[in-house]
Amino acid sequence: MLSPREAVRTLPSYRPPLAGRDGLRSDFNENTVGCSPRVLERVRRTSGEELARYPERAPIENSVATFLGIQPEEVLLTNGVDEAIHLLCEAYLQAGDEALIVVPTYSMYRIYMMAAGADVVSVPAAEDFRFPVADVCRRITPRTRMIAIANPNNPTGSIAKQEELMTIARSAPDAAVLVDEAYFEFCGQTTIAKRDEKNLFVARTFSKAYGMAGLRVGMLIGEEAQMRAIRRVSSPYNVNALALACLPEAIADQGYIQQYVGEVLAGRARLERSLQECGVQFWPSAANFVLARVGSTAEDSAAFVEHMRRRGILVRDRSSDHGCVGCVRITLGPREHTDRLLEALTSTIAELGIPEGASQA
Ligand SMILES: Cc1ncc(COP(=O)(O)O)c(C=O)c1O
């Protein structure tokens, strides 16, 4: 029996459901409808010859760079943001380094950091899950080689200010600082303009607003010399041909994105109002989801998830995240999905009640 490296043997496992997600998918922050019809049309036109060839990333990287108003050398297309995180860990971390995250946050940071052999330093979010800029600065040491920040953050929906992110980047000149903008389209705030900062990287994805999570495509943006280092550890064929063929269509259909984002933001306001009316504590979100405290124990949130599932709506239990006992994360979609969601939500709350200690004061 082979034994994996120690860093791998001691990894915590992240087990999202990989099958059986039947119902309205309000659990994974995906687009709950699908991608632009232009993308689907491009999929239908795919030829066998196109799939027989190794994918050619460069021309599409050029189009993406033009879309972002940056140079092609400053962007690398990746197999989702997950691969971008993995590549950063691969390029900058080794055993004994420190890597810093603010908890609660996206699970894959810790996993890739630990797999690279780094010691992960978890800094708890400030009150109401605000970004703890001073605490992060205090925990930076000469061993800090990577800092990952989801902005907006998952699962809290909170957002750090641009000045705070720059304070972090400048306080840790020897660390790769990743600003993960997976939910950029829902808040419009970006750090891309600061990409000349030598240690700063920005990640974006087509998995969320663009509705292409199944195609697996994201990107990493950074200063040209840093990106050369990242390209060294990346496969030249990391993004598949179908995803590459679809990207220009996805980017060209900004009308579709604007329409979808508009509906999500309206749905988010409706959900936040409903939660307030029901006396459920929640945290104002800058993304396409809202974190809400539906109980005071992990059993409460599990019961809530199960009752919603019986009503055909999947939501995500976040009780095991730092500071999130009794919490669920609910993803928004277009109007008809919000209607279904709110109906199930109010019935579930009426049935289960909101236990003492969890309800809003
Ligand atoms: C903050 C954050 N980053 C990255 C991802 C994964 O993105 P991708 O599908 O592009 O790998 C997620 C997905 O939930 C996320 O919440």
Side-chain angles (χ1 to χ4, degrees):
M1 164 82 185
L2 284 177
S3 180
R5 288 187 287 117
E6 193 195 337
V8 177
R9 280 201 306 275
T10 52
L11 268 187
S13 56
Y14 170 53
R15 289 206 196 94
L18 294 175
R21 287 173 63 218
D22 300 323
L24 174 57
R25 294 174 288 98
S26 295
D27 54 346
F28 267 73
N29 306 342
E30 297 155 326
N31 180 315
T32 59
V33 186
C35 56
S36 152
R38 287 183 58 164
V39 170
L40 275 185
E41 175 50 28
R42 183 64 187 83
V43 171
R44 288 194 191 99
R45 276 194 287 117
T46 308
S47 68
E49 198 271 336
E50 265 182 288
L51 297 186
R53 258 190 270 158
Y54 278 101
E56 295 180 1
R57 198 178 60 200
I60 310 301
E61 239 157 40
N62 289 349
S63 314
V64 169
T66 306
F67 171 66
L68 294 173
I70 64 176
Q71 296 305 311
E73 296 75 15
E74 296 174 315
V75 61
L76 173 72
L77 291 176
T78 57
N79 198 272
V81 169
D82 279 355
E83 191 202 12
I85 303 163
H86 199 180
L87 292 174
L88 280 170
C89 293
E90 191 72 11
Y92 295 106
L93 292 180
Q94 58 190 359
D97 288 342
E98 282 177 1
L100 214 147
I101 55 175
V102 172
V103 290
T105 195
Y106 182 52
S107 313
M108 294 311 292
Y109 302 143
R110 176 188 297 280
I111 291 180
Y112 288 136
M113 288 166 168
M114 287 182 71
D119 297 328
V120 177
V121 177
S122 301
V123 181
E127 201 186 339
D128 282 331
F129 297 123
R130 280 196 304 277
F131 185 70
V133 62
D135 293 341
V136 173
C137 287
R138 258 194 297 279
R139 301 298 296 273
I140 292 168
T141 74
R143 283 172 58 208
T144 311
R145 294 281 287 142
M146 185 167 167
I147 302 175
I149 303 161
N151 205 45
N153 189 31
N154 172 12
T156 60
S158 64
I159 190 155
K161 298 191 185 83
Q162 293 301 308
E163 313 86 84
E164 295 176 325
L165 299 172
M166 294 317 292
T167 301
I168 302 298
R170 288 173 187 154
S171 307
D174 297 324
V177 176
L178 170 66
V179 179
D180 177 349
E181 296 182 352
Y183 303 96
F184 159 74
E185 290 80 9
F186 303 102
C187 73
Q189 210 184 104
T190 180
T191 309
I192 287 188
K194 299 291 183 346
R195 68 192 178 283
D196 279 348
E197 204 74 29
K198 297 273 184 274
N199 58 334
L200 193 69
F201 295 88
V202 176
R204 291 268 184 93
T205 187
F206 290 89
S207 296
K208 307 297 180 184
Y210 283 83
M212 294 162 66
L215 283 175
R216 307 304 300 130
V217 54
M219 54 181 135
L220 186 65
I221 295 146
E223 194 266 334
E224 202 179 313
Q226 299 301 328
M227 293 308 294
R228 271 200 297 277
I230 303 292
R231 280 178 213 280
R232 284 181 177 212
V233 289
S234 144
S235 157
Y237 310 120
N238 59 340
V239 181
N240 71 75
L242 197 54
L244 290 176
C246 291
L247 265 197
E249 299 298 330
I251 288 170
D253 200 355
Q254 286 303 307
Y256 184 83
I257 302 300
Q258 276 161 20
Q259 157 83 17
Y260 185 75
V261 169
E263 295 216 23
V264 166
L265 299 192
R268 191 176 74 194
R270 284 177 66 196
L271 172 62
E272 292 183 345
R273 248 190 334 270
S274 267
L275 291 169
Q276 190 141 31
E277 280 163 16
C278 295
V280 175
Q281 186 182 18
F282 67 93
W283 290 269
S285 168
N288 63 339
F289 55 83
V290 173
L291 184 73
R293 179 157 278 145
V294 294
S296 46
T297 65
E299 288 71 32
D300 292 336
S301 57
F304 185 90
V305 169
E306 176 53 22
H307 278 71
M308 288 292 280
R309 194 191 60 75
R310 285 185 208 154
R311 293 183 162 93
I313 315 282
L314 307 178
V315 297
R316 192 85 196 273
D317 194 338
R318 302 281 20 162
S319 263
S320 59
D321 287 19
H322 179 91
C324 296
V325 174
C327 291
V328 296
R329 190 192 62 202
I330 305 169
T331 305
L332 280 313
R335 185 137 65 99
E336 60 276 24
H337 286 175
T338 310
D339 292 344
R340 280 169 61 193
L341 171 73
L342 293 186
E343 204 182 305
L345 181 95
T346 41
S347 312
T348 298
I349 290 174
E351 195 174 321
L352 293 177
I354 298 299
E356 200 67 29
S359 56
Q360 215 163 22

